[in-house]
Structure formats: structure tokens, C-alpha cells
């Protein structure tokens, strides 16, 4: 072997371990998901730690030299090896083997040997062990053989030999060293379980060994590498308890700074892997469980929590950090470090972006460490400046958070407003001399208001507003607004008291802050409230103050509205009209009275003035006032009533023309108004009074056609409409009106028949239409029977007479023509029909009708006879034939002439009944012509027989 460098495993690993620094190269890596995973996922970080732990260190193994030999080791080796081959004492041979091996090993270790030195040395040592099992220096041989195996590069054999040495020679001075060297080699090979066993054996030997402390440290590491955290922790805590300063500790950095430099790395790494172990076992809970074990160093409690939390923060495991501090606080709520640890919980949640949890931690801080919290009650400590300021800061943060969240809540966030109010109130209570107290107080009142505690808010605003040292006009206005909300929401039973409270608040602001920009508006609102509770005089006074106030009222509508309504309520209609007019002249503004409402009130004020004048008996002035409603407020709802009342007033004054003018305008303007029926009735009267028949008829016709009128009123109006049209000689309208009446109102019978009778007269130029009405008269009268009365029968008799005359005229109009056998039957048939109609008229038994019908019958017979006599003659060849034909016609005509005479005689015979009318007289005259022999002499008759009407 040419020049082999001595590669010895360090006997004391402490030097290498102490060279490590506390800084962890994996501190910035993303932490594992759970606390328990942290220690199990440290592979990347361990590469650095293990490099430090396994770094070669100067060997402290002693290559034990043989007894002094000749200056030339080669010769000495040759001599010893020659002795080995001799048949000598086994003890001498063993000693020779050992010395030759030692020299070869020494030479190889110094880099001066020859090839094969190490292998030969190994063979010599093994020969000793094989041939001399009872060799007294076996432990020394094993020790040297181990070194030789290392130089030969066989670490496994070296490790096995060291373990054998330690186990088989426990009393050897080399036993502890061997076990430590074995543990180190095993650790280097990552055989942590075997290494732990050897380290534990070193520790079991006792604490006086130079290897005890490094073995303890490496033992903890070996357990940690196996994830045996619970087993590693007692070892680590023992190291920390030994290395760290005495007393209770809380800050890792300051504690490690007091450790001697030589031990800083050991203490720092022990603290670090203790934290990782606790993290793997559950964090703060694991610390509590470990410290509950007997002999655990309680003084490290705070330090361990702080160290673990710090590691979690470095690994961005913010929730684990917060929970670690919280675990300490749960066990030690009264600890002097409690405020500091709670502050770190807040910082951890903030660093992790857990806003809600940070907020909850801030709330915990305030509740636990505010000046009035139970934490300070025992008097052992008082809040220092840091705690006091932190509480204030957290109070501000809590209040601002809930206030902002409430303002951003679309649904109002009432609960958050009240939470904000709570924290504002806490700050006010805890810091009475705070320079920001006034601003905080205002925010408190606003949060109460928005949170629905309006009454409390109003009182707080007033406290702020009327503070003697610093009065606040804006707070005064806010109080007024709050009281307004209370008044608006108050139930009916409490509304009056609520309104008085807000009236007082408004008047107080106006009195105390005369320059407040809202002073005039507040006065106007107070005036409105005064009006609402019925105090019209005060309402008028305050409203006028608002209108006259400076600065000028920007929106005068409310004050003017109050002024107008108050005057109106007091029946002071003229000033009310003036105020409403001024209000209407203003530009419309949202939130004030609508223009339409103002117009209505203005119109009502004028109308009431008219009512007052009407009640005073001044109908003319009242009419003018009523009409003024339409001129001033033409679109008002009351205008219709006003126009109607104006017309009524003119009717009362018998100003028919003026009344009709107003009523006609009413009809045109309000065609669907409920008063239209009355308007038409009044129009009918007004036009009747002026003898304006057509206009009156039209009014009556409208009344008659209105279905919601009473039946009697419709019938009467229909009859009057027909009469007015008839009298106005508007025949077409009259005919329509009579026909409508006749068809609509069968009763009373007299009027129904009279309408048909007039219709028959109006249609006299149209035989078909005339006969229709005449027949209806007859049929209706006959249908009524005896219940129809004499008047109905008389009308029916006249109608039947008229029908008979029409048929008689029709028959007379049928001229005879050749051949007579064709024309004569038609004339006879028509005559018979006329006779039947006339006889029917006579049957009614009225003297006038009967005598007239009888005369018409006689005339009908006479006309037929004369027609025969005058009938055309056919052409004849002789005079004789013509004479004979004439005689024949005379024979045919004679019976008709006789019938005529008989009919006239019947009529004349009625003289005996006391009847002597024109028809009897005319029959008498006709008889003198038809039968002069009998009636040619004029007899003396008394003229007292006048025909009854």
C-alpha cells in the first residue's frame, strides 16, 4: 500500500457536532400539512445536518506502538515474524505476532509501509485471536484489528469488531471508546437503531466518560432519525436543561446567546429537533404531556412553546404556531408572559391571512388583558405601557372591522354595528382621557344608530352635542335625525310623546346652534311635527321662523306646506290659499309634497272660502269662488264639485243661462263624473225655464237613457223629451223619442197609447208606418180590456176609425175599368174590408167615433154606387144596347145607394139618443140629396142636442 492517508472515525464526535450552526437551511421550505408530519419529512434538511454529524474528524484512536526495537522497523518486523515461525512458547509467538502486526500497522498508518502491510497485520491479529483465545491483551488486539480493518477499507468488519470489543470486554478501558466508535460508524451508515443501541450502552456506562455527553446528543439524534420522538424528547430536554442558563426561560435566541460558544450548536440543535419532535407529537399538547412526566424540566415550558411556535412561523405553519401559544395560555392563563404570547397569536393569524381568527385573537387579548380584566385583579401586576397600547390598538381594530363590515353588508349588518358599538364603548370606558375620545364617542353613537338602538344613539349624540367643553353641532343634528327615526317608528300610543321629544331636540338645536346650516330645515321639520300633534298655532309660528331664518331655508316646501296646512286646519282659508300658492310656485323637489297634492289643497282652500260665503247667504260670491277653483287649479279633483256647486248657486239665483253654461262645461269636462245625472236634471230645468225646448229635450233624453236612474224618472224624462222635441217641431227627434217611449214603457197605458197616437200623426205621410201605430193602439187597448179605461178605449176607437178611413180611401181609389167583371170584384173586396174596419170603430160605442164611422160607411156605399154609374161602357152597335147597359148599371148601383141611405138614417136616428154632432148633421144633409122625397122638407129641430165630446 503506497501512501495511505489515515482515515479514522472520530472517537469524540462532539467536536464535529459543535461546529454546526443553529441556522436551518430548510427553514423556508413549505411546511407539511400537519404538525405530526413535520419531523417525518425532514429528509432534505437532514442532509445538511447529517453531513455535519458524519464529517471526518481527527482520530483519537491510538495506534499502540510495540516495545522499542531497532531503528529499522523493517528489520524488527522480519525478526518478529521469524520468531512466529519458530516452535516456541505460544505466549511468545502471540506477542511476536502482535508486535509484528503493530509495526506493520504503524508503518502503514504513517504512510511509510510496503504493499501488504495492512493485510499482513490483519492476518497476524486474527491468528492471535484464533490461536490464543485466552490471550491477556485480546481487547488490545481487537482494538488494533479494528483500526487495520478501517485502513483496509472494511468498515463493516471494523464496526463488528468494535461492537464485539465493547460487548465481550465490558471492563476494558477500551470498551466505552469501542462502543462509541461503533455507534458512530453505524450512524454514518444510517443504521440508526443499532447506533442508538451503542450510544445507549455508552450512556449506561456512566457520566464520567468523555464520551457521555457526545453520546447523549448523538443518541437523541439516532432516536429522532427513527421518528421515535417520544423517546428522543427526554434525552433532548436533559441536554437543554444542562446546557441552557438556569432559571425560567422564554426566548430561544436570548437563552442560546448565554450558552458557551463551544456548546451553542449542541444546545441550538437540541432545541430545534425537540421542537420538531413536539410538532410531530401534536405541538403544545405534546409539550404539556412531556413536562408532566417526572423529572421533566418545568422551567423550559415557556421556552419550548416559544421555540416550537417560532419554528412553525419559519415554516409558515401559522395555525400551528398560534395553537402552540394558545396551548401554553390554556395551561398558564395567569403567566407573566400571557399578554406577550396572546399578541403572538394575533401576529400568527395575521401572517397567515386568517383575518377572522386574527380578529378573534384580538378580541381575546382585549377581554383578557384590558385594565379591568380578571388577569390584573390579584394586584400582583399592572398593565404596562405595551399592554395598554396593545389593548387600545386592538379595540380600534375590532371596532373598525365590525363597523366597516356592517357598512358593506347589503342587508344592513345590524349585528355588526352593535358589535362595533360594543368595542367603541369599551374604549370609552377604558380610556376616559383619550385625546380621540370625542371622535370615538361619535362613532359609538353612529354604530348604535345604524345597529337599531336608535334611542341610545340619540342620547349619546345629545351628550356629545351639548358637552360644555366642546359642543358639537353635527352631533346635535344627528340627535335630531335619530329622534326623527324614533318618532316615525313609534306605535300610535307612543307617537305623541316621541314627536314632542324630537320637536324639543330640533328647537334646542336651533337655539344652541343658530349658525348651523341645517337649522332652518330642522325648524321646518319641528313645525311639521307640531302640526302632526295638533298644535297649529305653534306650528304656524315655527314654520314662519323657518321661512324667515338665516341661513335661508334651501327647500321652503316643508315650511310652506306646514303653514298652509295649519291655516287650513284652523279654517283660515285665505292665508292657506296664499301659502299653497307660494308652495306651488316653487320648483318641484323630491321628498317634498307632490305638485298634485299641493294643487288639491290650493283648490280646497278656495272651495272652502266659497262654502263659507254660501253659508253666509252670499250665493253670488260663493258661485264666483267656486268657479275660481277651475281658474286657479283646473286639474284639481275638487274642481268638478266646485263647478257643480257654482251652477247650483246660479240656479238658486235663477240665473238660468249662467247655470246652463257652467253645467254644459261640466258635462264636457267630466263626462264620466258621478254628478252627471244631477247635472242633466239641472240642465233640463234650466233650459225649460228658458224655453229652450230642443236643449231641454236633449237633457231629458240623456236622463231617460241612463240605466242607473230610477225607472219612473227615466220614463218621465223620456216622455218630456218627446214632448219638448214635438213642441220644438223637431219631427224626426220627436218621432224617435215617442217611439222609444212607446216601446220601452207599456205602462201607464194612457201615455203609451198617447205616444202611439202621436206617432200615427207624425207618420201620416207614410201609410204603412201610420197603420202600424194605429193597429198597435187598437191592439194594446183591446189587450188591456176593461182595465184600460175609457181614455184608452177612446184612443183605440179613434185609431180604428182612422184605419177604416184609410181603407175606405184605398177602396175609393180603385177605379172601375173594363172589363168590369175583373175590376169590380177588387173594388168590392176593398170596400168590404173598409166597411169591416169602420164597423169595428163604431163598435167601441163612442158617439163621436160611431157617428163618424157610420157617415164613412154611408159615404163608402155611396161612392161604390156612383162608381158603378160612372163605370166605362163597352163599345156597342146600337143605342138600345147602350140604354140597356145603363139600366143594368143602375140596377147594380141601386143597392149600394140604398145602403148609403140606410147608414145615414141610422146616424140620423141617433138624434133620438140626444146626439147631434157634425156627422149626424152631415148624414141629414146627405139624405136630403139621396132621398129628397122623404127628407127634402126641413123639419124644425131643437138645437140643444149637441154631440158629447
Amino acid at each position: 500500500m503506497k501512501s495511505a492517508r489515515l482515515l479514522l472515525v472520530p472517537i469524540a464526535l462532539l467536536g464535529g457536532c459543535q461546529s454546526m450552526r443553529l441556522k436551518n437551511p430548510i427553514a423556508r421550505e413549505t411546511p407539511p400539512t400537519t404538525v405530526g408530519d413535520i419531523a417525518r419529512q425532514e429528509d432534505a434538511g437532514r442532509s445538511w445536518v447529517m453531513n455535519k454529524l458524519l464529517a471526518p474528524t481527527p482520530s483519537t484512536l491510538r495506534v499502540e506502538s510495540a516495545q522499542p526495537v531497532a531503528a529499522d522497523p523493517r528489520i524488527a518486523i522480519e525478526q518478529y515474524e521469524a520468531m512466529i515461525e519458530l516452535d516456541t512458547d505460544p505466549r511468545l509467538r502471540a506477542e511476536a505476532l502482535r508486535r509484528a502486526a503493530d509495526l506493520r500497522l504503524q508503518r502503514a498508518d504513517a504512510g511509510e509501509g510496503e504493499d501488504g502491510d495492512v493485510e499482513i497485520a490483519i492476518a497476524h491479529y486474527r491468528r492471535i485471536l484464533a490461536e490464543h483465545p485466552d490471550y491477556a491483551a485480546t481487547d488490545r488486539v481487537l482494538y488494533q484489528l479494528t483500526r487495520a480493518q478501517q485502513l483496509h477499507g472494511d468498515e463493516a468488519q471494523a464496526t463488528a469488531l468494535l461492537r464485539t470489543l465493547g460487548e465481550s470486554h465490558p471492563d476494558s478501558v477500551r470498551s466505552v471508546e469501542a462502543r462509541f466508535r461503533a455507534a458512530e460508524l453505524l450512524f454514518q451508515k444510517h443504521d440508526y437503531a443499532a447506533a442508538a443501541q451503542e450510544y445507549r450502552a455508552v450512556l449506561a456506562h456512566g457520566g464520567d466518560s468523555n464520551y457521555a455527553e457526545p453520546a447523549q446528543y448523538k443518541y437523541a439524534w439516532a432516536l429522532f432519525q427513527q421518528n421515535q420522538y417520544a423517546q428522543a424528547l427526554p434525552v433532548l430536554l436533559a441536554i437543554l436543561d444542562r446546557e441552557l442558563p438556569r432559571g425560567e426561560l422564554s426566548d430561544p435566541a436570548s437563552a442560546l446567546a448565554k450558552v458557551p460558544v463551544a456548546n451553542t450548536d449542541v444546545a441550538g440543535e437540541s432545541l430545534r429537533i425537540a421542537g420538531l419532535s413536539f410538532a410531530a407529537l401534536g405541538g403544545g399538547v405534546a409539550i404539556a404531556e412531556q413536562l408532566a412526566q417526572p423529572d421533566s424540566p418545568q422551567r423550559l415550558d415557556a421556552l419550548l412553546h416559544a421555540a416550537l411556535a417560532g419554528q412553525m412561523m419559519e415554516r409558515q405553519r401559522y395555525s400551528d404556531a398560534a395553537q402552540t401559544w394558545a396551548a401554553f395560555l390554556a395551561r398558564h392563563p395567569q403567566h407573566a408572559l400571557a399578554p406577550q404570547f396572546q399578541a403572538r397569536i394575533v401576529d400568527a393569524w395575521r401572517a397567515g391571512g386568517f383575518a377572522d381568527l386574527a380578529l378573534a385573537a384580538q378580541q381575546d387579548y382585549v377581554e383578557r388583558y384590558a385594565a379591568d380584566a380578571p388577569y390584573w385583579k390579584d394586584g400582583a401586576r399592572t398593565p404596562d405601557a405595551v399592554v395598554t397600547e396593545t389593548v387600545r390598538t386592538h379595540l380600534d381594530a375590532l371596532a373598525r372591522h365590525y363597523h366597516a363590515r356592517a357598512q358593506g353588508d347589503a342587508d344592513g349588518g345590524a349585528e355588526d354595528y352593535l358589535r362595533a358599538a360594543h368595542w367603541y364603548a369599551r374604549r370609552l370606558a377604558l380610556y376616559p382621557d383619550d385625546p380621540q375620545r370625542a371622535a370615538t364617542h361619535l362613532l359609538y353613537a353612529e354604530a348604535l344608530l345604524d345597529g337599531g338602538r336608535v334611542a341610545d344613539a340619540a342620547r349619546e349624540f345629545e351628550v356629545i352635542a351639548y358637552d360644555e367643553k366642546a359642543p358639537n353641532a353635527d352631533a346635535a343634528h344627528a340627535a335630531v335625525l335619530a329622534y326623527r327615526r324614533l318618532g316615525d317608528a313609534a306605535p300610535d300610543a307612543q307617537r305623541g310623546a316621541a314627536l314632542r321629544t324630537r320637536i324639543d331636540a330640533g328647537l334646542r338645536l336651533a337655539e344652541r346652534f343658530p349658525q348651523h346650516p341645517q337649522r332652518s330645515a330642522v325648524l321646518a321639520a319641528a313645525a311639521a311635527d307640531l302640526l302632526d300633534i295638533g298644535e297649529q298655532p305653534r306650528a304656524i309660528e315655527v314654520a314662519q321662523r323657518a321661512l324667515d331664518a338665516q341661513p335661508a331655508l334651501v327647500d321652503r316646501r316643508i315650511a310652506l306646506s306646514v303653514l298652509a296646512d295649519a291655516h287650513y286646519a284652523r279654517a283660515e282659508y285665505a292665508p292657506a290659499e296664499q301659502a299653497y300658492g307660494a308652495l306651488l310656485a316653487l320648483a318641484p323637489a323630491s321628498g317634498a309634497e307632490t305638485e298634485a297634492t299641493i294643487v288639491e289643497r290650493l283648490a280646497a282652500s278656495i272651495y272652502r272660502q266659497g262654502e263659507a260665503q254660501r253659508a253666509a247667504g252670499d250665493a253670488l260670491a260663493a258661485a264666483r269662488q267656486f268657479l275660481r277653483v277651475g281658474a286657479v287649479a283646473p286639474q284639481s279633483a275638487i274642481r268638478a264639485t266646485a263647478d257643480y256647486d257654482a251652477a247650483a248657486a246660479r240656479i238658486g239665483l235663477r240665473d238660468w243661462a249662467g247655470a246652463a253654461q257652467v253645467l254644459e262645461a261640466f258635462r264636457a269636462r267630466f263626462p264620466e263624473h258621478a254628478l252627471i245625472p244631477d247635472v242633466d236634471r239641472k240642465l233640463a230645468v234650466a233650459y225649460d225655464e228658458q224655453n229652450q225646448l230642443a236643449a231641454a229635450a236633449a237633457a231629458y233624453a240623456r236622463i231617460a237613457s241612463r240605466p242607473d236612474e230610477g225607472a219612473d224618472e227615466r220614463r218621465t224624462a223620456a216622455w218630456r223629451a218627446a214632448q219638448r222635441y214635438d213642441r220644438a217641431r223637431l219631427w224626426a227627434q220627436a218621432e224617435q223619442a215617442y217611439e222609444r217611449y212607446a216601446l220601452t214603457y207599456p205602462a201607464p197605458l194612457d201615455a203609451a197609447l198617447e205616444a202611439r197616437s202621436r206617432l200615427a200623426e207624425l207618420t201620416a205621410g207614410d201609410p204603412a208606418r201610420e197603420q202600424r201605430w194605429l193597429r198597435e193602439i187598437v191592439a194594446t187597448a183591446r189587450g188591456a180590456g176593461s182595465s184600460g179605461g175609457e181614455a184608452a178605449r177612446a184612443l183605440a176607437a179613434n185609431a180604428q176609425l182612422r184605419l177604416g178611413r184609410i181603407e175606405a180611401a184605398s177602396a175609393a181609389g180603385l177605379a172601375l175599368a173594363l172589363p168590369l167583371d175583373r175590376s169590380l170584384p177588387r173594388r168590392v173586396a176593398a170596400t168590404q174590408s173598409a166597411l169591416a174596419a169602420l164597423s169595428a170603430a163604431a163598435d167601441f160605442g163612442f158617439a163621436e167615433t160611431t157617428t163618424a164611422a157610420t157617415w164613412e160607411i154611408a159615404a163608402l156605399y155611396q161612392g161604390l154606387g156612383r162608381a158603378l154609374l160612372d163605370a166605362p161602357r163597352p163599345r156597342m152597335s146600337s143605342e138600345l144596347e147602350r140604354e140597356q147597359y145603363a139600366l143594368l148599371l143602375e140596377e147594380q148601383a141601386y143597392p149600394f145607394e140604398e145602403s148609403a141611405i140606410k147608414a145615414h138614417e141610422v146616424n140620423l136616428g141617433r138624434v133620438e139618443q140626444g146626439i147631434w154632432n157634425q156627422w149626424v148633421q152631415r148624414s141629414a144633409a146627405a139624405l136630403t140629396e139621396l132621398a129628397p122625397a122623404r127628407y127634402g122638407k126641413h123639419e124644425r129641430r131643437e138645437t140643444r142636442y149637441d154631440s158629447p165630446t
Side-chain angles (χ1 to χ4, degrees):
M1 189 172 180
K2 292 185 179 177
S3 83
R5 182 176 178 82
L6 193 62
L7 300 174
L8 298 177
V9 175
I11 294 175
L13 191 57
L14 182 59
C17 294
Q18 289 173 341
S19 66
M20 293 187 292
R21 299 293 182 265
L22 287 176
K23 182 176 180 181
N24 187 352
I26 64 170
R28 294 297 179 185
E29 293 184 3
T30 302
T33 303
T34 65
V35 171
D37 292 335
I38 292 174
R40 292 190 292 275
Q41 299 184 19
E42 288 291 315
D43 292 344
R46 288 175 188 165
S47 62
W48 181 86
V49 174
M50 295 306 298
N51 287 338
K52 296 295 290 182
L53 288 174
L54 302 178
T57 59
S59 176
T60 58
L61 268 178
R62 300 175 301 282
V63 179
E64 298 185 5
S65 302
Q67 298 297 325
V69 296
D72 188 349
R74 181 178 59 81
I75 297 174
I77 292 171
E78 290 175 355
Q79 291 178 354
Y80 284 130
E81 289 180 347
M83 185 181 295
I84 294 171
E85 299 303 325
L86 297 176
D87 185 11
T88 183
D89 186 346
R91 289 176 298 176
L92 292 176
R93 186 168 53 252
E95 188 67 20
L97 284 168
R98 184 186 64 77
R99 288 180 181 272
D102 286 348
L103 287 172
R104 283 183 179 277
L105 187 60
Q106 183 177 353
R107 186 170 63 175
D109 193 43
E112 300 171 352
E114 298 176 357
D115 291 342
D117 275 348
V118 175
E119 289 79 358
I120 294 171
I122 291 172
H124 290 339
Y125 289 134
R126 290 196 175 278
R127 184 175 178 183
I128 296 170
L129 294 174
E131 295 177 356
H132 306 283
D134 297 328
Y135 184 59
T138 298
D139 61 332
R140 185 177 184 280
V141 172
L142 288 171
Y143 186 88
Q144 290 294 88
L145 178 57
T146 300
R147 180 59 184 149
Q149 291 288 5
Q150 275 193 287
L151 288 175
H152 192 257
D154 192 346
E155 296 286 347
Q157 281 295 325
T159 303
L161 289 168
L162 287 170
R163 298 187 75 180
T164 299
L165 172 59
E167 292 173 1
S168 60
H169 301 279
D171 297 329
S172 171
V173 293
R174 297 177 180 85
S175 175
V176 174
E177 178 188 355
R179 304 208 79 149
F180 183 80
R181 287 180 59 210
E184 293 288 88
L185 290 170
L186 291 166
F187 195 99
Q188 185 177 358
K189 294 292 186 180
H190 305 298
D191 188 353
Y192 301 117
Q197 182 179 350
E198 296 304 316
Y199 287 132
R200 185 166 56 250
V202 172
L203 294 174
H205 190 271
D208 296 336
S209 170
N210 291 332
Y211 302 104
E213 289 187 6
Q216 183 185 33
Y217 175 64
K218 297 301 291 292
Y219 177 49
W221 260 107
L223 293 172
F224 179 79
Q225 297 289 20
Q226 298 175 75
N227 298 331
Q228 295 181 10
Y229 309 115
Q231 293 80 0
L233 281 170
V235 182
L236 291 168
L237 295 187
I239 295 171
L240 292 172
D241 192 33
R242 181 185 66 244
E243 299 294 342
L244 295 176
R246 297 296 90 194
E248 185 176 12
L249 304 172
S250 61
D251 181 59
S254 61
L256 291 173
K258 297 176 182 179
V259 175
V261 175
N263 297 337
T264 300
D265 286 350
V266 171
E269 279 300 296
S270 297
L271 187 59
R272 187 179 73 83
I273 66 172
L276 294 175
S277 298
F278 282 126
L281 294 173
V285 175
I287 295 176
E289 292 175 353
Q290 184 61 48
L291 292 179
Q293 299 300 318
D295 302 326
S296 290
Q298 300 294 325
R299 69 187 188 87
L300 300 181
D301 195 350
L303 178 71
L304 293 173
H305 282 86
L308 174 58
Q311 288 178 336
M312 297 301 99
M313 290 292 289
E314 288 178 358
R315 287 163 175 74
Q316 299 180 6
R317 302 304 300 175
Y318 303 111
S319 60
D320 293 337
Q323 289 166 9
T324 299
W325 281 310
F328 180 84
L329 292 177
R331 291 171 50 233
H332 306 291
Q334 293 300 115
H335 198 280
L337 294 172
Q340 180 182 344
F341 276 25
Q342 183 65 32
R344 291 179 183 177
I345 292 175
V346 175
D347 294 339
W349 291 128
R350 282 178 174 170
F354 301 102
D356 290 342
L357 294 174
L359 195 74
Q362 288 177 296
Q363 180 172 331
D364 287 343
Y365 192 100
V366 171
E367 291 176 347
R368 292 178 180 180
Y369 311 118
D372 57 357
Y375 182 79
W376 313 105
K377 293 300 183 182
D378 59 5
R381 60 178 71 90
T382 57
D384 58 21
V386 173
V387 172
T388 300
E389 187 56 33
T390 303
V391 169
R392 189 201 314 263
T393 300
H394 289 336
L395 281 170
D396 286 345
L398 288 164
R400 284 196 305 269
H401 168 80
Y402 286 116
H403 210 151
R405 192 168 78 175
Q407 290 170 336
D409 188 342
D411 297 329
E415 291 183 1
D416 282 338
Y417 278 120
L418 293 181
R419 291 189 183 101
H422 167 75
W423 297 117
Y424 287 133
R426 290 284 286 142
R427 173 161 180 167
L428 291 172
L430 290 169
Y431 303 98
D433 299 325
D434 188 352
Q436 300 299 319
R437 180 177 180 80
T440 302
H441 200 168
L442 194 59
L443 289 170
Y444 171 52
E446 290 173 353
L448 287 173
L449 180 68
D450 294 331
R453 290 174 53 185
V454 183
D456 293 337
R459 287 190 289 271
E460 293 300 327
F461 279 129
E462 283 198 312
V463 171
I464 301 166
Y466 301 106
D467 185 283
E468 295 181 359
K469 297 180 180 178
N472 189 315
D474 290 336
H477 187 237
V480 171
L481 296 178
Y483 282 125
R484 293 203 66 78
R485 283 179 59 179
L486 287 172
D488 292 341
D492 292 342
Q494 302 170 15
R495 180 171 172 75
L499 292 185
R500 292 184 186 280
T501 299
R502 76 184 191 188
I503 290 168
D504 292 342
L507 296 178
R508 187 179 183 187
L509 179 147
E511 183 67 26
R512 183 64 180 81
F513 301 104
Q515 300 304 315
H516 194 284
Q518 294 298 319
R519 177 175 181 267
S520 302
V522 168
L523 283 171
D529 288 339
L530 285 167
L531 179 63
D532 199 359
I533 63 175
E535 295 190 14
Q536 292 94 0
R538 284 190 70 198
I540 293 171
E541 182 266 327
V542 175
Q544 194 62 55
R545 282 177 62 191
L547 292 170
D548 297 340
Q550 292 298 326
L553 188 61
V554 175
D555 187 355
R556 299 169 62 84
R557 301 174 69 85
I558 294 177
L560 283 171
S561 179
V562 171
L563 202 64
D565 289 348
H567 281 304
Y568 188 92
R570 291 173 59 79
E572 298 166 354
Y573 300 119
E577 177 191 351
Q578 183 179 1
Y580 285 131
L583 185 60
L584 191 61
L586 297 176
S590 61
E593 298 290 344
T594 63
E595 183 175 348
T597 303
I598 299 167
V599 167
E600 293 302 327
R601 292 179 180 177
L602 173 62
S605 298
I606 300 172
Y607 180 80
R608 296 304 179 195
Q609 293 178 67
E611 283 186 322
Q613 289 168 332
R614 181 175 60 189
D618 192 345
L620 180 59
R624 290 171 180 170
Q625 286 286 9
F626 291 141
L627 290 176
R628 200 161 64 84
V629 171
V632 175
Q635 302 304 318
S636 62
I638 204 173
R639 181 185 181 178
T641 302
D643 286 352
Y644 180 86
D645 288 350
R650 289 184 179 271
I651 289 174
L653 293 169
R654 304 189 66 78
D655 179 6
W656 305 113
Q661 181 181 3
V662 174
L663 291 170
E664 286 292 357
F666 186 102
R667 285 189 63 252
R669 190 174 293 112
F670 310 108
E672 303 299 326
H673 199 281
L675 288 173
I676 286 294
D678 286 336
V679 168
D680 280 332
R681 284 190 283 272
K682 285 182 169 53
L683 272 174
V685 173
Y687 286 131
D688 270 345
E689 292 292 338
Q690 298 174 78
N691 202 31
Q692 293 186 20
L693 299 175
Y700 283 125
R702 290 193 297 273
I703 296 171
S705 64
R706 193 169 290 118
D708 53 350
E709 295 283 0
D712 289 343
E713 189 167 3
R714 289 200 308 274
R715 181 186 61 75
T716 301
W719 182 252
R720 289 178 179 176
Q723 285 185 321
R724 268 61 171 178
Y725 281 130
D726 202 353
R727 286 164 53 192
R729 305 178 69 80
L730 297 173
W731 309 125
Q733 293 93 322
E735 181 183 347
Q736 291 177 356
Y738 279 127
E739 183 174 358
R740 187 180 303 112
Y741 184 91
L743 297 177
T744 306
Y745 303 104
L749 184 61
D750 292 350
L753 293 175
E754 186 177 347
R756 288 173 171 79
S757 177
R758 185 63 184 133
L759 281 167
E761 293 173 358
L762 291 172
T763 58
D766 186 342
R769 293 169 62 202
E770 180 184 11
Q771 290 178 71
R772 170 200 167 190
W773 294 117
L774 292 173
R775 290 190 186 96
E776 281 198 13
I777 293 171
V778 175
T780 300
R782 284 177 176 167
S786 59
S787 63
E790 290 299 305
R793 293 183 66 253
L795 284 173
N798 286 329
Q800 186 61 48
L801 176 63
R802 178 62 181 154
L803 286 170
R805 285 172 174 169
I806 291 172
E807 292 200 37
S810 175
L814 294 174
L816 297 178
L818 294 176
L820 287 178
D821 59 348
R822 293 179 60 184
S823 61
L824 182 59
R826 290 196 300 272
R827 176 69 179 268
V828 170
T831 300
Q832 288 175 340
S833 178
L835 287 171
L838 291 170
S839 296
D843 289 343
F844 278 97
F846 291 98
E848 185 71 16
T849 306
T850 300
T851 55
T854 303
W855 190 91
E856 294 290 348
I857 290 170
L860 188 61
Y861 281 130
Q862 187 178 358
L864 179 58
R866 186 179 297 111
L868 285 172
L869 293 175
D870 296 338
R873 271 65 168 171
R875 290 185 179 184
M876 297 179 182
S877 61
S878 66
E879 182 67 24
L880 177 62
E881 289 178 342
R882 286 193 290 273
E883 289 179 356
Q884 289 177 344
Y885 189 80
L887 289 173
L888 180 61
L889 291 176
E890 287 178 0
E891 288 177 1
Q892 292 291 325
Y894 178 76
F896 295 114
E897 185 174 331
E898 283 297 316
S899 294
I901 291 170
K902 288 180 181 179
H904 284 309
E905 287 177 341
V906 170
N907 233 7
L908 185 62
R910 290 190 174 96
V911 172
E912 300 300 328
Q913 300 172 16
I915 300 173
W916 182 251
N917 57 22
Q918 60 171 328
W919 305 110
V920 175
Q921 294 174 13
R922 293 179 67 180
S923 290
L927 285 172
T928 60
E929 295 178 0
L930 291 172
R934 280 181 287 174
Y935 298 102
K937 297 179 181 180
H938 294 284
E939 297 179 2
R940 214 182 143 89
R941 296 182 180 88
E942 296 183 7
T943 58
R944 59 186 177 88
Y945 299 104
D946 292 330
S947 153
T949 59

